[in-house]
Amino acid sequence: MKKIQGIIPPMITPLLDDDVLDVEGAKNLVENMIGAGVHAIFILGTTGEAQSLSYKCRYEFVELVCGAVAGRIPVLVGITDTSLAESVKLAEKAKECGAVGVVAAAPYYYAPSQQELIEYYTELADKVCLPLYIYNMPSNVKVFLEAKTVVALAQHPNIVGLKDSSHNMTYLNSVKYLLRDMPDFALYVGPEELTGEAVLHGMDGGVNGGANMFPELYVAMYNAAVAQDVEKVKELQKQIMAISTTIYSVGKYGSSYLKGVKCAASLLGYCNDHLAWPYRKFGAEERAKVAEALKALGAEVKNA
Amino acid sequence: MKKIQGIIPPMITPLLDDDVLDVEGAKNLVENMIGAGVHAIFILGTTGEAQSLSYKCRYEFVELVCGAVAGRIPVLVGITDTSLAESVKLAEKAKECGAVGVVAAAPYYYAPSQQELIEYYTELADKVCLPLYIYNMPSNVKVFLEAKTVVALAQHPNIVGLKDSSHNMTYLNSVKYLLRDMPDFALYVGPEELTGEAVLHGMDGGVNGGANMFPELYVAMYNAAVAQDVEKVKELQKQIMAISTTIYSVGKYGSSYLKGVKCAASLLGYCNDHLAWPYRKFGAEERAKVAEALKALGAEVKNA
Amino acid sequence: MKKIQGIIPPMITPLLDDDVLDVEGAKNLVENMIGAGVHAIFILGTTGEAQSLSYKCRYEFVELVCGAVAGRIPVLVGITDTSLAESVKLAEKAKECGAVGVVAAAPYYYAPSQQELIEYYTELADKVCLPLYIYNMPSNVKVFLEAKTVVALAQHPNIVGLKDSSHNMTYLNSVKYLLRDMPDFALYVGPEELTGEAVLHGMDGGVNGGANMFPELYVAMYNAAVAQDVEKVKELQKQIMAISTTIYSVGKYGSSYLKGVKCAASLLGYCNDHLAWPYRKFGAEERAKVAEALKALGAEVKNA
Amino acid sequence: MKKIQGIIPPMITPLLDDDVLDVEGAKNLVENMIGAGVHAIFILGTTGEAQSLSYKCRYEFVELVCGAVAGRIPVLVGITDTSLAESVKLAEKAKECGAVGVVAAAPYYYAPSQQELIEYYTELADKVCLPLYIYNMPSNVKVFLEAKTVVALAQHPNIVGLKDSSHNMTYLNSVKYLLRDMPDFALYVGPEELTGEAVLHGMDGGVNGGANMFPELYVAMYNAAVAQDVEKVKELQKQIMAISTTIYSVGKYGSSYLKGVKCAASLLGYCNDHLAWPYRKFGAEERAKVAEALKALGAEVKNA
């Protein structure tokens, strides 16, 4: 399989109610993202609230999105779980529906050592039926996939890339340097604030939540960085930061990012803004602030 | 329902292989614990590796243990999950099989705020069909159920107690003091090293992993503390610390406790020592150290 | 030297202004504590805001308190520092003024490994001219003095005890068990909420901040615990928790304990409530809440 | 004062023994750095082991370096301290010796809230006699200077810049965006692995430890990034990563960076490699590994 490069939105999971998918909303988002030129779609990640959904709902969403995408671009499916058996089973569903890869952060109830992570991921990569991307997400899973661990795992034939959401660019640069002789191993950066500099430095793309709302902006950033057009990168970076410092900063809890993305997607007319437990959507006051931020960004608010 | 008081072992989940229950081993453990006079059994907790098992396996284990206990003592079932819907569903299975209560730590992928935890637990308590015990387990779930949060949740008619595994006795004493007018709210301490002092200070019991191996010791400690026999408490405390500082300290990773308990249970002849991913059982060298520690404790090693 | 046992208040440093000692206030506190029967006084600890004071001010305070105590009870001096040379120098001042021991938490800018902590404390113990107590204070110094580290350091002839402020009683019980053959090694608990249970289990005393305000209460707790009078311990525990859950909980920051103790000492008429940077004393609203809490505790507020 | 832009090495403090400066070594380093074209020198920072030195030694080092630099380039002095009074005093010494600015991380024994940090830094900026740079160093001081806090503090006329050593480029990009209307406020990145991308994105320079050894490399990186020569940046980045992933990774503790830099400076013939407590220099085996790494980098090892 050719390495995927570019913008891979971590798609939100639109919900009408607890564990009830917003089917039309999901289709709207898929069409908008494909229309904007994103290079792949990643579902059931952190932005997708995968862990908060029932398994039934996760399986339905895999079917729904793979069906909507219909092979136009690659679909990656998050299989992060505390149970290796459940990860393997979800990977089977993903393959059956046409996804081309699976993504797994570390198991997140216990805190395995680096050696235990190597053993765990080796077993997982042996067992899953699709290429596996490993996912460094220390704020949620408590453990950090150290650079040496990534290097060890990159030797496994079925481990094909890393998504890093640590915000620590020293780390990602270290991984890249240590894997300099393995150019086929994909390196993606999670935070959209870092896509420009990561791609300028040779990373393969961004798994950027903001692409649920404004996919064309992140595609433009990717293209500018690949072209080494630093002035364009800096100009687009301002737009990305304008989103990041407003929409993701409403509300007082650590969940502002998730709530902000879903609220904005709703205001832009794509889908419902219901969130899965343990989170609830923004109230009227916070919704008004997100609407205001969207207007300041020049976006058309259809659903205030 | 009368408040449960005493020793409530957090039962290990004996496995023959990945996701394959050791049925005979589980029955042996149940008989040994009931024979020793434990006051209830708690399954699918942290010591039970619940998060590492497939759902199918969790459901089978609820059936197996409830069947083996057959109503002789109360059974509590851990329903900790990142998906509220899955917690509710598992509670239904628990009730159907005859369990009398369910136990839930905070959802553990995201890190909810205290206010979000109150909303989450309120919803969970409304939805589950059995009395709910909340469970403070910050090392695994990242968030701490602050004393004020517990006080708020204790007002819910279906939230009936707290299990605290924080090791922070200032916290547990604070909760007890703040709930001094609610004597029916149960307070259990997780770490067995603290059962003596907790019960001396009026807590309701211990959810002590060591009771998988030596249930009579923890029952004796509970009885001595209830009787305010400080000399006896101090004497038993030495035996408990002798276990804690040897069996749980073999091996170099943070998982020594889990590996040690299962290894010891195997050496004592109760059940297999297979662990669920991401952990693997002790190798021969570590197993020999646990055997040695058991012998030094005066235990009969049947299965070295 | 005979092991010190009992209540050792970690004395606050009364200030009139930034870096200006409240000499009369300090003398009032000393007289009140000695009058209440405390067994020693510990100055320049965390409660004493040592790190926030200039060195000149720290040296003056050693002189002041040692002079005021005048040998009636032992004085211990905190020498915690990031510079070993400064610790040694302050120990010399302490000895010169008549203190009988020094107390040091780990150096707190870098985060040394356990092996580096052993080397550091060994050097410090070799160099200081007074017996050294090591001090486990992980919330402030980032590193935890693991039980095995304490055991290693306890072998040094000039390391004579441990003060533990981790709130983790599993840890303190482990240290006690591992040092069961070294009864002369002193074990003190920092948090006053734990003095009762710690002394019941054989620890040597409490370094309890509340004894700045109500020394007789903590002395009574120590005596009840030594006498193994569990009913009395439980009764006194309620009074201690009433202080802990009110006076230390006013205000919204992590500094409520420090601000609360100084505010209460001022309201009780002992001394000024000025705090050293980076903290400022409570404003009028919070001061009124502390006054209210003191009245509810039956204390006489002289200085509202 | 004109904003300083470029490479500002955080100079190590060469020592012959505990608290004994290596005067010749310091002069060698200064000459080498100035010769290579660095834009300023920063002393008594984290790399300078400031907190581990006695005050006497810190004062001597300010004199020594300011004297050696003799006004050829600006000198910045770290005044990070837990005591505001000591910070102010050290700033006076710095000014007296000719330094042009001071740098302060948050006070690091207690953990102030963001509001308390604003009050603290405001007081400090009012009191110090030189322009103040604030310094985000969460791994050492426990608190993070949040972007909003930096924005608030940037309004103070005597706070002129930020050094960020968090490794979190999302954060630094956020600060830059929020301060887009204050182009005179200086933004420096600590980790040398990030200087290229930071300067490409418009930051003002790097405070890079590796410039103690190879100042010309970091100056070249700064120049390439200012020139937006992405190919050159990527080529130099490989050299920087080759240093970072070898010399800073010898040894098993968190202190490998500090030990590695001093060891390499010694091997290159600049100065002694003695470290201040709580750290000790590398032993023969680790020194050999650093020597090997230096040779692989093409450096001339004079002092193996």
Side-chain angles (χ1 to χ4, degrees):
Chain A
M1 193 178 95
K2 204 170 143 280
K3 182 163 71 164
I4 299 168
Q5 292 183 299
I7 298 301
I8 309 168
M11 188 177 166
I12 56 174
T13 305
L15 298 171
L16 294 174
D17 200 346
D18 292 340
D19 248 33
V20 179
L21 294 175
D22 174 1
V23 173
E24 287 315 305
K27 288 178 181 169
N28 289 338
L29 284 165
V30 164
E31 291 313 312
N32 189 52
M33 292 190 287
I34 293 179
V38 305
H39 305 83
I41 288 180
F42 166 44
I43 61 171
L44 297 182
T46 304
T47 302
E49 299 172 272
Q51 274 61 41
S52 303
L53 306 172
S54 73
Y55 279 80
K56 181 168 167 291
C57 189
R58 291 183 220 181
Y59 279 67
E60 286 172 7
F61 195 62
V62 174
E63 269 184 30
L64 169 57
V65 174
C66 287
V69 171
R72 288 177 286 174
I73 54 173
V75 175
L76 304 179
V77 175
I79 58 167
T80 302
D81 208 295
T82 54
S83 160
L84 193 143
E86 296 292 351
S87 291
V88 170
K89 221 172 114 189
L90 185 53
E92 279 157 20
K93 177 70 180 180
K95 185 176 187 184
E96 177 194 313
C97 293
V100 304
V102 290
V103 181
Y108 49 97
Y109 187 76
Y110 302 107
S113 67
Q114 297 296 311
Q115 179 55 35
E116 287 167 336
L117 286 169
I118 290 174
E119 293 167 14
Y120 166 83
Y121 271 118
T122 300
E123 174 81 3
L124 185 64
D126 285 347
K127 289 270 177 69
V128 290
C129 53
L130 284 174
L132 173 64
Y133 297 83
I134 60 180
Y135 177 10
N136 187 40
M137 188 49 165
S139 62
N140 289 53
V141 308
K142 295 190 296 280
V143 296
F144 204 105
L145 297 180
E146 291 178 7
K148 284 179 186 175
T149 301
V150 175
V151 170
L153 290 171
Q155 314 310 316
H156 191 291
N158 199 36
I159 297 180
V160 298
L162 168 75
K163 176 192 169 189
D164 175 42
S165 289
S166 71
H167 295 270
N168 183 330
M169 284 302 289
T170 302
Y171 164 75
L172 193 53
N173 280 308
S174 298
V175 170
K176 180 162 182 55
Y177 178 75
L178 294 169
L179 293 176
R180 62 194 179 280
D181 295 331
M182 296 184 68
D184 291 339
F185 193 83
L187 295 175
Y188 307 121
V189 71
E192 59 208 65
E193 300 87 350
L194 305 177
T195 296
E197 63 200 83
V199 175
L200 273 181
H201 271 61
M203 312 300 168
D204 294 298
V207 185
N208 305 149
N212 282 280
M213 303 173 284
F214 305 109
E216 63 289 350
L217 172 59
Y218 301 89
V219 171
M221 173 58 104
Y222 175 74
N223 290 335
V226 166
Q228 301 196 352
D229 182 345
V230 177
E231 281 309 316
K232 185 78 179 167
V233 164
K234 286 168 78 170
E235 181 199 318
L236 295 167
Q237 181 72 5
K238 278 186 198 158
Q239 296 180 46
I240 290 174
M241 294 313 304
I243 294 168
S244 169
T245 56
T246 57
I247 293 173
Y248 305 162
S249 306
V250 172
K252 53 185 165 179
Y253 305 136
S255 51
S256 294
Y257 162 72
L258 270 180
K259 293 175 182 174
V261 173
K262 272 204 156 169
C263 182
S266 160
L267 286 161
L268 295 169
Y270 295 128
C271 60
N272 199 301
D273 62 348
H274 189 84
L275 270 92
W277 287 103
Y279 294 139
R280 298 289 83 183
K281 67 180 174 184
F282 276 150
E285 193 185 343
E286 290 151 326
R287 187 173 173 92
K289 281 185 195 169
V290 175
E292 201 180 331
L294 285 170
K295 284 173 196 163
L297 292 164
E300 188 188 350
V301 172
K302 299 180 178 170
N303 191 13
Chain B
M1 192 177 94
K2 204 170 143 281
K3 182 163 72 164
I4 298 169
Q5 292 184 299
I7 298 302
I8 310 168
M11 188 176 164
I12 56 175
T13 304
L15 298 171
L16 294 174
D17 200 346
D18 292 341
D19 249 32
V20 179
L21 294 175
D22 174 0
V23 174
E24 287 315 304
K27 288 179 181 169
N28 288 340
L29 283 165
V30 164
E31 290 312 311
N32 189 51
M33 292 190 286
I34 293 180
V38 305
H39 304 83
I41 288 180
F42 166 46
I43 61 171
L44 297 181
T46 305
T47 303
E49 298 172 274
Q51 274 61 40
S52 303
L53 306 172
S54 73
Y55 279 80
K56 182 170 166 292
C57 189
R58 292 184 222 181
Y59 278 68
E60 286 172 5
F61 194 63
V62 174
E63 268 185 32
L64 169 58
V65 174
C66 287
V69 171
R72 288 176 287 174
I73 54 173
V75 175
L76 304 178
V77 175
I79 59 168
T80 301
D81 208 294
T82 54
S83 160
L84 194 143
E86 296 292 350
S87 291
V88 170
K89 221 173 114 190
L90 185 52
E92 279 157 20
K93 177 70 181 181
K95 184 176 187 184
E96 180 193 313
C97 293
V100 303
V102 290
V103 182
Y108 49 97
Y109 187 76
Y110 302 109
S113 67
Q114 297 297 310
Q115 179 55 36
E116 288 167 335
L117 286 170
I118 289 174
E119 293 166 15
Y120 166 82
Y121 271 118
T122 299
E123 175 80 4
L124 184 64
D126 285 348
K127 288 271 178 68
V128 290
C129 53
L130 284 174
L132 174 64
Y133 297 82
I134 59 179
Y135 177 11
N136 188 41
M137 188 49 164
S139 61
N140 288 53
V141 306
K142 295 190 297 279
V143 296
F144 203 106
L145 298 180
E146 291 178 6
K148 283 179 186 174
T149 300
V150 175
V151 170
L153 290 171
Q155 314 309 316
H156 192 291
N158 199 35
I159 297 180
V160 298
L162 168 75
K163 176 192 169 187
D164 174 42
S165 290
S166 71
H167 294 270
N168 183 329
M169 284 301 289
T170 302
Y171 165 74
L172 192 53
N173 279 307
S174 298
V175 170
K176 179 160 183 57
Y177 178 75
L178 293 169
L179 292 176
R180 62 194 179 280
D181 295 330
M182 297 186 67
D184 291 340
F185 193 83
L187 295 175
Y188 307 120
V189 71
E192 59 208 66
E193 301 85 351
L194 304 176
T195 296
E197 63 201 81
V199 175
L200 272 181
H201 271 62
M203 311 299 168
D204 294 299
V207 185
N208 304 149
N212 283 281
M213 303 172 285
F214 304 108
E216 63 289 348
L217 171 60
Y218 301 89
V219 171
M221 173 59 104
Y222 175 73
N223 290 334
V226 167
Q228 300 195 352
D229 182 345
V230 177
E231 282 308 317
K232 184 80 180 167
V233 164
K234 286 168 78 170
E235 180 199 318
L236 294 167
Q237 181 71 7
K238 277 185 199 159
Q239 296 180 45
I240 290 174
M241 293 314 304
I243 294 167
S244 169
T245 56
T246 57
I247 293 173
Y248 305 163
S249 305
V250 173
K252 54 186 165 177
Y253 304 136
S255 51
S256 293
Y257 162 71
L258 270 180
K259 292 176 182 173
V261 174
K262 271 205 157 168
C263 182
S266 159
L267 285 161
L268 295 170
Y270 295 127
C271 60
N272 199 301
D273 62 348
H274 190 84
L275 270 92
W277 288 102
Y279 294 139
R280 298 288 85 182
K281 67 180 175 185
F282 276 149
E285 193 185 343
E286 290 151 326
R287 187 174 173 91
K289 281 186 195 167
V290 175
E292 200 180 333
L294 285 170
K295 284 173 196 163
L297 292 164
E300 189 188 349
V301 173
K302 299 181 179 169
N303 191 13
Chain C
M1 193 177 95
K2 203 169 144 278
K3 182 163 71 164
I4 299 170
Q5 292 184 298
I7 298 300
I8 309 168
M11 187 176 166
I12 57 174
T13 304
L15 298 170
L16 294 174
D17 201 346
D18 292 341
D19 247 33
V20 180
L21 295 175
D22 174 0
V23 173
E24 287 315 305
K27 289 179 181 169
N28 289 339
L29 283 165
V30 164
E31 291 312 312
N32 189 51
M33 292 190 286
I34 293 180
V38 306
H39 305 83
I41 288 180
F42 166 45
I43 61 171
L44 296 182
T46 304
T47 302
E49 298 173 274
Q51 274 62 40
S52 303
L53 307 172
S54 73
Y55 279 81
K56 183 170 165 290
C57 189
R58 291 182 221 182
Y59 279 67
E60 285 172 8
F61 195 62
V62 174
E63 269 185 30
L64 170 58
V65 174
C66 287
V69 171
R72 288 177 285 174
I73 54 173
V75 176
L76 303 179
V77 175
I79 59 168
T80 302
D81 208 295
T82 54
S83 160
L84 193 143
E86 296 292 351
S87 291
V88 170
K89 221 173 114 189
L90 185 53
E92 278 157 19
K93 177 70 179 180
K95 184 176 187 185
E96 178 194 312
C97 293
V100 303
V102 290
V103 181
Y108 49 97
Y109 187 75
Y110 303 107
S113 67
Q114 296 297 310
Q115 179 55 34
E116 287 167 336
L117 286 170
I118 289 173
E119 292 166 14
Y120 166 82
Y121 272 118
T122 299
E123 174 80 4
L124 185 64
D126 285 349
K127 288 271 178 70
V128 290
C129 54
L130 284 174
L132 174 64
Y133 297 82
I134 60 179
Y135 177 11
N136 187 40
M137 188 50 166
S139 62
N140 290 53
V141 308
K142 295 189 296 279
V143 296
F144 203 105
L145 297 180
E146 291 178 7
K148 284 179 186 174
T149 301
V150 175
V151 170
L153 290 171
Q155 314 310 317
H156 192 290
N158 199 36
I159 297 181
V160 298
L162 168 75
K163 177 192 169 190
D164 174 42
S165 290
S166 71
H167 295 270
N168 183 329
M169 284 301 290
T170 302
Y171 165 74
L172 193 53
N173 280 306
S174 297
V175 170
K176 180 162 182 56
Y177 177 74
L178 294 169
L179 293 176
R180 61 193 180 281
D181 295 330
M182 296 184 68
D184 291 339
F185 193 83
L187 295 175
Y188 308 120
V189 70
E192 59 209 64
E193 300 86 349
L194 304 177
T195 296
E197 63 201 82
V199 175
L200 272 181
H201 272 61
M203 311 298 169
D204 295 298
V207 185
N208 305 148
N212 282 281
M213 304 173 283
F214 305 109
E216 62 290 348
L217 172 60
Y218 302 88
V219 171
M221 174 59 105
Y222 175 73
N223 290 333
V226 166
Q228 300 196 351
D229 182 345
V230 177
E231 281 309 316
K232 185 79 179 167
V233 164
K234 286 167 78 170
E235 181 199 318
L236 294 167
Q237 181 72 6
K238 278 187 197 157
Q239 295 180 46
I240 290 174
M241 293 313 304
I243 293 168
S244 169
T245 56
T246 57
I247 294 174
Y248 305 162
S249 305
V250 172
K252 55 185 163 177
Y253 305 135
S255 52
S256 293
Y257 162 72
L258 270 180
K259 292 176 183 174
V261 173
K262 272 205 158 169
C263 182
S266 160
L267 285 161
L268 295 170
Y270 295 126
C271 60
N272 200 301
D273 62 347
H274 190 85
L275 269 92
W277 288 102
Y279 294 139
R280 298 289 83 183
K281 67 180 174 185
F282 277 149
E285 194 184 343
E286 289 151 326
R287 188 174 172 90
K289 281 185 195 168
V290 176
E292 200 179 334
L294 285 171
K295 283 173 197 163
L297 291 164
E300 189 188 348
V301 172
K302 298 180 179 170
N303 192 12
Chain D
M1 193 178 93
K2 204 172 144 276
K3 182 163 71 165
I4 299 169
Q5 292 184 299
I7 298 300
I8 310 168
M11 187 177 165
I12 56 174
T13 305
L15 298 170
L16 294 175
D17 199 347
D18 293 338
D19 248 33
V20 179
L21 295 175
D22 174 1
V23 173
E24 287 315 305
K27 289 179 181 169
N28 289 339
L29 283 165
V30 164
E31 290 314 310
N32 189 52
M33 291 190 286
I34 293 179
V38 305
H39 304 82
I41 288 180
F42 166 45
I43 60 171
L44 296 182
T46 304
T47 302
E49 298 172 274
Q51 275 61 41
S52 304
L53 306 172
S54 73
Y55 279 80
K56 183 169 165 290
C57 189
R58 292 183 221 182
Y59 279 68
E60 286 172 5
F61 195 62
V62 174
E63 270 185 29
L64 170 58
V65 174
C66 287
V69 171
R72 289 176 286 174
I73 54 173
V75 175
L76 304 178
V77 176
I79 59 167
T80 302
D81 208 295
T82 55
S83 160
L84 193 143
E86 296 292 350
S87 291
V88 170
K89 222 172 113 190
L90 184 53
E92 280 157 19
K93 177 70 180 181
K95 185 176 186 183
E96 180 192 314
C97 293
V100 303
V102 289
V103 181
Y108 49 96
Y109 187 76
Y110 303 108
S113 68
Q114 297 296 310
Q115 180 54 36
E116 288 167 336
L117 286 170
I118 290 174
E119 294 166 13
Y120 165 83
Y121 271 118
T122 300
E123 175 80 3
L124 184 64
D126 285 349
K127 288 271 176 68
V128 290
C129 54
L130 285 173
L132 174 64
Y133 297 83
I134 60 179
Y135 177 10
N136 187 40
M137 188 50 166
S139 61
N140 289 54
V141 308
K142 295 189 296 279
V143 297
F144 204 105
L145 297 180
E146 291 178 7
K148 284 179 185 174
T149 301
V150 175
V151 171
L153 290 171
Q155 314 309 316
H156 192 292
N158 199 35
I159 297 180
V160 299
L162 168 75
K163 176 192 169 189
D164 174 41
S165 290
S166 71
H167 294 269
N168 183 329
M169 285 301 289
T170 302
Y171 165 75
L172 193 53
N173 280 308
S174 297
V175 170
K176 180 161 182 55
Y177 177 74
L178 293 170
L179 292 177
R180 62 195 179 281
D181 295 331
M182 297 184 68
D184 291 339
F185 193 84
L187 295 175
Y188 308 120
V189 71
E192 59 208 65
E193 300 86 349
L194 305 176
T195 296
E197 63 200 83
V199 175
L200 272 181
H201 271 61
M203 312 299 169
D204 295 298
V207 185
N208 305 148
N212 282 281
M213 303 173 283
F214 305 109
E216 62 290 348
L217 172 60
Y218 301 89
V219 171
M221 173 58 103
Y222 175 74
N223 291 334
V226 166
Q228 300 195 352
D229 182 345
V230 176
E231 282 309 317
K232 185 79 180 167
V233 164
K234 286 168 77 170
E235 180 199 318
L236 294 167
Q237 181 71 7
K238 277 184 199 159
Q239 296 180 45
I240 290 174
M241 293 313 304
I243 293 167
S244 169
T245 56
T246 56
I247 293 173
Y248 305 163
S249 305
V250 172
K252 53 185 166 177
Y253 306 135
S255 52
S256 294
Y257 162 71
L258 270 180
K259 292 176 183 175
V261 174
K262 272 204 156 170
C263 181
S266 160
L267 286 161
L268 295 169
Y270 294 128
C271 60
N272 199 301
D273 61 348
H274 190 83
L275 270 92
W277 289 102
Y279 294 140
R280 298 288 84 183
K281 67 180 174 185
F282 276 150
E285 193 185 344
E286 290 151 326
R287 188 174 173 92
K289 282 185 195 168
V290 176
E292 201 180 333
L294 285 170
K295 284 172 196 164
L297 291 163
E300 189 188 349
V301 173
K302 298 181 181 170
N303 191 13

